Amino acid sequence: MGLLDSSITAGEYQQAELVLKVLYDRFALAFSRSDFVAFKAGRDFVKSQQYQRYQNYID
């Protein structure tokens, strides 16, 4: 979770996408849009192409 937070904060969205997919595949953890917009860096992330790919992946 720390890696996810630091990736999004640093604007490393490709890394964040990878971490999200691993969390989903290994631990069945899925995050919604509201989980990310709760903090400033997350608002930018949900607008990214990587977030859209993540959403498609978990759907």
Side-chain angles (χ1 to χ4, degrees):
M1 295 301 290
L3 182 57
L4 176 60
D5 180 51
S6 63
S7 298
I8 292 173
T9 302
E12 297 291 334
Y13 297 154
Q14 279 188 295
Q15 183 172 336
E17 177 188 4
L18 178 62
V19 171
L20 285 167
K21 288 178 178 179
V22 168
L23 290 172
Y24 180 75
D25 289 342
R26 294 200 180 161
F27 305 106
L29 289 174
F31 297 91
S32 69
R33 182 179 197 87
S34 61
D35 293 327
F36 293 108
V37 298
F39 60 102
K40 186 179 183 206
R43 289 181 215 135
D44 292 332
F45 176 62
V46 297
K47 298 174 189 173
S48 72
Q49 180 182 13
Q50 290 82 7
Y51 177 76
Q52 296 306 315
R53 285 195 307 245
Y54 165 68
Q55 283 298 306
N56 291 335
Y57 186 79
I58 63 172
D59 284 339

